[in-house]
Amino acid sequence: MPYKMKLKSAFQAAFPHTIPIFAGFWFLGMTYGIYMNVSGFGFWYPMLMSLTIFAGSVEFVTVNLLLGAFDPLQALAMTLMINARHLFYGISMLDKYRGHGLKDLYLIFGMCDESFSINYTADIPEGVDRGWFMFFVTLLNHFYWFFGATLGGIFGSLIHFNTEGIEFVMTAMFVVIFMEQWMKEKNHVSALVGVGISLLCLTAFGADDFIIPAMAGILGVLTLLKEPLKKRWKE
């Protein structure tokens, strides 16, 4: 198959899978861009951050990190904790991402929850290059987020209504993710452990400092409960 035809067929196969992602990424990206704007940052902040970080949760958190005291160790630890799930995504994709040349570098960089879900489960049509299919899925999702964040940053200054509380979109996003996982799982032990430890750390450390110890505690407790939970899920 000619090279251009290979790219075209891969793009045409990948694009429909990303359409549902467009709506969510565009809206959340716009919200993030507006949030950055009303927090006092120019449009090029969300534009560059969405292009180079491409981790929605971390980008929302980064707003507070930029507004607070300079603490690179806290930023590193928080980023690792928030995106620790990508370690498991990466392990799952080792075989699928292997052997696609330089595309592998971008696939690794651009892997997010949505791209992982599509690339891991999609039934790629026969004759479509797997490497280019996964590349275009990742590229399109990256573009949707970048596009939304940039527009939000540009047009945020044109918004004249009261935007106080817009940062709550991040909290709402996590609540929706939590509820979705709660409804999918029959066993809620891990979710209850997470909520319980978070409340304990909130009480002990306060609202500004509880996230990292809570995530560390959740990781430690769930590691200890790994085998009992496995047995319970099998029952």
Side-chain angles (χ1 to χ4, degrees):
M1 180 185 296
Y3 187 71
K4 289 185 178 180
M5 287 296 297
K6 180 186 292 188
L7 294 180
K8 183 179 179 181
S9 62
F11 180 86
Q12 290 175 337
F15 177 66
H17 289 276
T18 68
I19 292 175
I21 310 301
F22 169 74
F25 270 21
W26 189 75
F27 176 75
L28 279 176
M30 282 277 288
T31 305
Y32 165 65
I34 294 170
Y35 178 36
M36 286 288 289
N37 185 277
V38 299
S39 298
F41 297 96
F43 80 92
W44 57 273
Y45 272 89
M47 181 180 72
L48 291 178
M49 288 169 63
S50 63
L51 186 65
T52 57
I53 299 176
F54 190 38
S57 304
V58 173
E59 289 177 53
F60 274 99
V61 170
T62 302
V63 179
N64 290 326
L65 293 176
L66 289 173
L67 292 173
F70 179 67
D71 191 345
L73 291 180
Q74 181 190 20
L76 175 62
M78 188 170 292
T79 300
L80 289 174
M81 288 292 184
I82 293 174
N83 281 345
R85 67 189 185 280
H86 290 163
L87 293 172
F88 302 98
Y89 292 172
I91 293 172
S92 301
M93 299 299 287
L94 281 174
D95 291 333
K96 291 181 179 291
Y97 280 0
R98 184 179 289 118
H100 302 297
L102 294 176
K103 291 191 291 294
D104 288 346
L105 297 177
Y106 180 69
L107 291 173
I108 294 169
F109 161 76
M111 184 170 62
C112 59
D113 298 353
E114 293 76 13
S115 296
F116 165 78
S117 178
I118 295 173
N119 286 333
Y120 190 81
T121 61
D123 185 14
I124 302 175
E126 186 176 350
V128 173
D129 184 273
R130 177 176 294 273
W132 281 115
F133 175 89
M134 295 190 296
F135 175 86
F136 282 123
V137 165
T138 306
L139 181 65
L140 286 166
N141 288 340
H142 192 178
F143 173 74
Y144 299 152
W145 179 257
F146 166 78
F147 180 56
T150 301
L151 283 182
I154 292 173
F155 294 112
S157 60
L158 302 179
I159 296 176
H160 300 295
F161 59 84
N162 186 5
T163 57
E164 182 179 357
I166 195 173
E167 65 273 13
F168 186 74
V169 70
M170 184 173 68
T171 303
M173 179 177 66
F174 282 119
V175 170
V176 170
I177 292 172
F178 175 82
M179 294 304 299
E180 183 180 0
Q181 292 302 313
W182 178 278
M183 290 186 291
K184 283 182 179 179
E185 295 178 354
K186 295 180 179 179
N187 190 320
H188 303 305
V189 174
S190 58
L192 293 174
V193 166
V195 172
I197 292 177
S198 297
L199 290 175
L200 287 174
C201 290
L202 178 62
T203 303
F205 298 101
D208 294 331
D209 302 310
F210 84 99
I211 293 180
I212 293 179
M215 289 187 173
I218 292 169
L219 180 61
V221 171
L222 290 180
T223 300
L224 292 174
L225 295 177
K226 180 179 177 182
E227 292 304 321
L229 287 175
K230 275 186 176 180
K231 292 180 181 178
R232 188 166 180 176
W233 286 333
K234 290 179 181 178
E235 293 176 355

